[in-house]
């Protein structure tokens, strides 16, 4: 089979094609014929490591956490999946050598999830990192359930920073499915259009507008949750934005390692600050996220494509380096690799 591999850290040029045997499938494992591999920022960051020329965690590594395809073989003790089933997979390359930028991957059955006929393989390859991160961000709110379903966020106002990003897009769609009112920020009119297509009720261009003022007008009582990609830029504004007993879910740095935080005002409002790293979410919460995202997909509530705020950018497997470079340079939308 054809695999994209790397054996030392560095730029996209460290990726090369290898011909390798199709892997065997053991007990509690599923072999998936990958059709679409999704690329996330975490994939190029893992490949880049702390700098070029460093040894990788495994002698040969295949990048990319997310993907979709068809079950090719099923090991012993795997209920509920059969060869030919359409599936999406998550965290294929987390603490493992074998990601999805190849024709076949063997994974623990827990990481292989049925994909309904009505859902595209592109959607399946876009779920893992973005949707599971979004789910965690939306289910750590004070006074709200740890599960998402229609109505679970009814009455809540959610502010999504970076509503045209992949995580931002998934957050808007899941929050809308759960019944929240959604306000999003973006940095351009084009991104504003994407955030609206994802389903945001109100979109604020933080370059063009006095964005804090604009959000106060859109949510006069304050927002109940901020889903944050850029705390370094924004933390100073939280007291002006948050309702009492609100939550801030932080899933990225946004241009720096430290931020200044106005402590005193948050005591009065009992603000909860929750950091989110999708890989280390407690296993029970991760299982809940997978189940809820699966339900949202089955309900048709999660979608991809420009018409849903997430334009697709396609690359063939032998151009995986260009796909990584596109994500690294800030492609707007979702970068996917056709592995077949
Ligand atoms: N903690 C986790 O588990 C987790 C999970 C997934 C992703 N991430 C991280 O979250 C970030 C976004 O991931 P993604 O897949 O959504 O990427 P993406 O599709 O490239 O979107 C990034 C979005 O972030 C917004 N943004 C706002 N301020 C930013 C800043 N200072 N620097 C960079 N972007 C800024 C941009 O929107 P505007 O131009 O409109 O501002 C952009 O649309 C990445 O750094 C990624 O590594 C973390």
């Amino acid at each position: 089979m054809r695999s994209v591999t790397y054996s030392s850290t560095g730029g996209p040029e460290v990726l090369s094609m290898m011909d390798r045997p199709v892997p065997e499938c053991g007990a509690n494992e599923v072999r998936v014929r990958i059709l679409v591999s999704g690329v996330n920022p975490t994939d190029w960051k893992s490949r880049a490591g702390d700098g070029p020329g460093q040894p990788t965690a495994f002698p040969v590594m295949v990048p990319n956490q997310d993907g979709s395809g068809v079950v090719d073989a099923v090991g012993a003790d795997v209920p509920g999946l059969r060869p030919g089933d359409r599936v999406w997979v998550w965290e294929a390359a987390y603490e493992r050598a074998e990601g999805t930028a190849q024709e076949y991957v063997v994974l623990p059955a827990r990481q292989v999830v049925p994909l309904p006929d009505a859902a595209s393989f592109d959607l399946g390859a876009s779920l893992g990192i973005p949707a599971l991160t979004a789910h965690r961000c939306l289910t750590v709110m004070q006074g709200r359930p740890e599960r998402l379903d229609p109505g679970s966020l009814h009455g809540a106002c959610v502010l999504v920073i970076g509503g045209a990003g992949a995580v931002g897009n998934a957050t808007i769609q899941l929050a809308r499915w759960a019944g929240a009112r959604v306000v999003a920020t973006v940095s351009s009119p084009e991104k504003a259009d994407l955030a609206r297509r994802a389903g945001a009720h109100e979109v604020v261009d933080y370059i063009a507008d006095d964005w804090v003022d604009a959000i106060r007008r859109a949510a006069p009582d304050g927002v109940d949750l901020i889903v944050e990609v850029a705390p370094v830029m924004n933390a100073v504004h939280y007291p002006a934005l948050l309702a009492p007993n609100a939550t801030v879910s932080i899933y990225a740095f946004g241009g720096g390692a430290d931020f200044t935080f106005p402590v005193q005002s948050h005591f009065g409002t009992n603000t909860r600050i929750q950091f989110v790293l999708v890989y280390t979410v407690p296993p029970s919460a991760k299982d809940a996220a997978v189940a809820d995202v699966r339900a949202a997909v089955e309900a048709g509530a999660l979608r991809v494509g420009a018409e849903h705020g997430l334009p697709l950018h396609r690359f063939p497997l032998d151009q995986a380096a260009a796909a990584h470079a596109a994500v690294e340079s800030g492609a707007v939308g979702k970068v996917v690799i056709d592995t077949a």
Side-chain angles (χ1 to χ4, degrees), residues 23-304:
E24 294 301 322
C25 185
N28 298 307
E29 290 182 332
V30 178
R31 185 169 67 213
V32 178
R33 182 163 63 90
I34 294 292
L35 296 175
V36 182
S37 173
V39 190
N40 293 283
T42 188
D43 300 316
W44 72 257
K45 291 175 186 177
S46 298
R47 187 214 67 226
D50 294 331
Q54 303 298 311
T56 46
F58 300 91
V60 174
M61 298 193 60
V62 176
N64 299 354
Q65 301 290 344
D66 295 346
S68 62
V70 175
V71 173
D72 182 64
V74 175
D77 303 323
V78 178
L81 286 173
R82 289 180 306 186
D85 286 353
R86 307 170 85 252
V87 291
W88 58 280
V89 308
W90 52 273
E91 287 176 26
Y94 179 59
E95 296 184 333
R96 290 164 29 97
E98 303 291 329
T100 63
Q102 54 185 343
E103 291 176 312
Y104 294 88
V105 70
V106 168
L107 281 163
R110 175 175 175 255
Q111 289 168 244
V112 181
V113 189
L115 182 69
D117 288 344
S120 68
F121 288 113
D122 290 337
L123 174 63
S126 307
L127 292 170
I129 294 281
L132 299 182
T133 303
H135 183 281
R136 178 67 172 170
C137 290
L138 291 167
T139 53
V140 290
M141 289 175 71
Q142 297 191 72
R144 292 286 173 173
E146 294 176 355
R147 299 296 297 261
L148 279 190
D149 58 32
S152 61
L153 297 184
H154 182 71
C157 183
V158 175
L159 171 59
V160 180
I161 306 289
V167 176
N169 177 279
T171 306
I172 293 171
Q173 294 197 59
L174 284 173
R176 284 296 310 267
W177 178 60
R181 173 174 159 73
V182 180
V183 182
T185 68
V186 293
S187 63
S188 69
E190 295 74 22
K191 287 185 171 182
D193 184 48
L194 294 175
R196 278 191 204 96
R197 286 168 187 258
H201 294 97
E202 300 273 351
V203 181
V204 172
D205 184 333
Y206 68 84
I207 303 292
D209 301 329
D210 177 339
W211 66 276
V212 175
D213 201 45
I215 290 166
R216 288 296 305 181
R217 286 198 302 277
D221 297 329
V223 302
D224 301 297
L225 173 69
I226 299 177
V227 179
E228 178 64 281
V229 69
V232 175
M233 287 165 53
N234 299 332
V236 69
H237 299 300
Y238 295 161
L241 296 169
L242 292 170
N245 304 303
T247 303
V248 183
S249 299
I250 297 175
Y251 68 91
F253 295 84
D258 304 298
F259 61 86
T260 302
F261 192 79
V263 175
Q264 192 171 1
S265 57
H266 289 297
F267 281 117
T269 49
N270 273 283
T271 306
R272 174 187 290 175
I273 306 290
Q274 172 79 49
F275 288 87
V276 171
L277 179 63
V278 68
Y279 297 121
T280 51
V281 163
S284 60
K286 183 66 70 63
D287 287 339
V290 171
D292 293 350
V293 167
R294 179 180 171 184
V297 170
E298 283 166 359
L302 276 170
R303 293 164 298 180
V304 294

Side-chain angles (χ1 to χ4, degrees), residues 3-21:
S3 301
V4 174
T5 64
Y6 63 109
S7 296
S8 68
T9 59
E13 68 281 356
V14 300
L15 300 176
S16 63
M17 293 290 282
M18 267 180 92
D19 202 11
R20 303 191 309 158

